[in-house]
Amino acid sequence: GAGVSQSPSNKVTEKGKDVELRCDPISGHTALYWYRQSLGQGLEFLIYFQGNSAPDKSGLPSDRFSAERTGGSVSTLTIQRTQQEDSAVYLCASSRLGGTEAFFGQGTRLTVV
Amino acid sequence: QQQVKQSPQSLIVQKGGISIINCAYENTAFDYFPWYQQFPGKGPALLIAIRPDVSEKKEGRFTISFNKSAKQFSLHIMDSQPGDSATYFCAASMERGYQKVTFGTGTKLQVIP
């Protein structure tokens, strides 16, 4: 596609439910990032995938958070047993191998009620 | 060592004034320093970037100043306009090796008429 695509754009879920957020990176981009951005705050790094290397999961805030990337392309961020503090915008970005610019999607706004 | 420190957290500038945002890094292996601009409801987008072989890069009203010995770089927005009101993120990465982009915490800029 022309850009990084994230779905859904908005998600409202009840506390305790699991949610899955999807990211379609730019075709050919080998690096993929997930960030969390709370209202008016900075970018909180969650996880980084680079090609076939083991992902850098150092930013995942708890074991309720996990992510996978299938076939080196689409990525899914899963949040289990959602809590109200998980409410935020989840941003995905991708970049090409050797590239230095990260291209961001529009984000998924998650609201836990 | 992967941190990028950014200041100030927020900034109010009058129209026509100069906006200055500062960043500092620790890892001397970083060799690419981009700035991203984020408007409300959108993902961050690359604004301007510099490599450490130059001390300054200018694109229109936007200038990056880079001080390699001090491990600092800054964004100057000349003749600031209300349309420049956004959140600005500095970042750093390595073009070779471990290429994960590390972002600063962001500066919310408001340009008032």
Side-chain angles (χ1 to χ4, degrees):
Chain A
V4 177
S5 178
Q6 292 188 244
S7 60
S9 54
N10 281 283
K11 176 72 176 180
V12 180
T13 190
E14 291 182 352
K15 178 181 173 182
K17 300 283 189 183
D18 298 351
V19 294
E20 286 189 350
L21 311 180
R22 177 186 170 103
C23 173
D24 279 278
I26 293 173
S27 178
H29 280 194
T30 58
L32 187 147
Y33 307 76
W34 282 100
Y35 292 90
R36 180 168 69 177
Q37 188 172 36
S38 300
L39 185 62
Q41 301 301 308
L43 298 171
E44 178 187 3
F45 166 74
L46 297 178
I47 189 167
Y48 167 63
F49 295 91
Q50 176 58 279
N52 296 320
S53 302
D56 176 352
K57 303 179 182 180
S58 60
L60 294 178
S62 76
D63 59 8
R64 295 186 297 105
F65 288 73
S66 63
E68 64 176 21
R69 189 177 185 191
T70 54
S73 181
V74 172
S75 178
T76 303
L77 177 69
T78 301
I79 309 173
Q80 296 179 311
R81 306 180 302 281
T82 52
Q83 303 295 313
Q84 287 185 329
E85 61 262 29
D86 300 334
S87 296
V89 174
Y90 290 81
L91 289 162
C92 175
S94 72
S95 66
R96 59 180 174 84
L97 181 65
T100 44
E101 179 179 359
F103 293 83
F104 283 82
Q106 299 276 59
T108 292
R109 180 175 296 278
L110 175 66
T111 304
V112 182
V113 297
Chain B
Q1 238 202 345
Q2 292 294 327
Q3 279 190 321
V4 176
K5 296 181 180 178
Q6 182 172 348
S7 63
Q9 187 174 2
S10 63
L11 182 61
I12 300 174
V13 173
Q14 285 213 309
K15 178 182 175 181
I18 302 173
S19 304
I20 302 174
I21 305 170
N22 300 298
C23 284
Y25 63 98
E26 298 171 356
N27 190 342
T28 55
F30 286 141
D31 57 9
Y32 182 74
F33 302 90
W35 286 87
Y36 284 77
Q37 181 186 54
Q38 183 183 30
F39 293 107
K42 304 289 187 183
L46 181 66
L47 177 65
I48 185 174
I50 196 168
R51 289 180 172 82
D53 53 343
V54 297
S55 60
E56 185 175 283
K57 182 173 182 179
K58 184 175 181 179
E59 289 184 4
R61 296 183 294 106
F62 299 89
T63 299
I64 301 178
S65 298
F66 186 82
N67 186 331
K68 188 174 181 178
S69 61
K71 293 186 285 185
Q72 294 176 347
F73 58 111
S74 60
L75 176 70
H76 291 63
I77 306 174
M78 313 299 287
D79 187 26
S80 299
Q81 299 297 313
D84 298 330
S85 297
T87 299
Y88 293 81
F89 295 94
C90 63
S93 67
M94 290 173 264
E95 291 197 86
R96 294 177 182 81
Y98 192 61
Q99 295 168 356
K100 184 182 118 184
V101 179
T102 301
F103 283 89
T105 49
T107 297
K108 188 171 184 179
L109 170 66
Q110 184 180 1
V111 182
I112 55 176

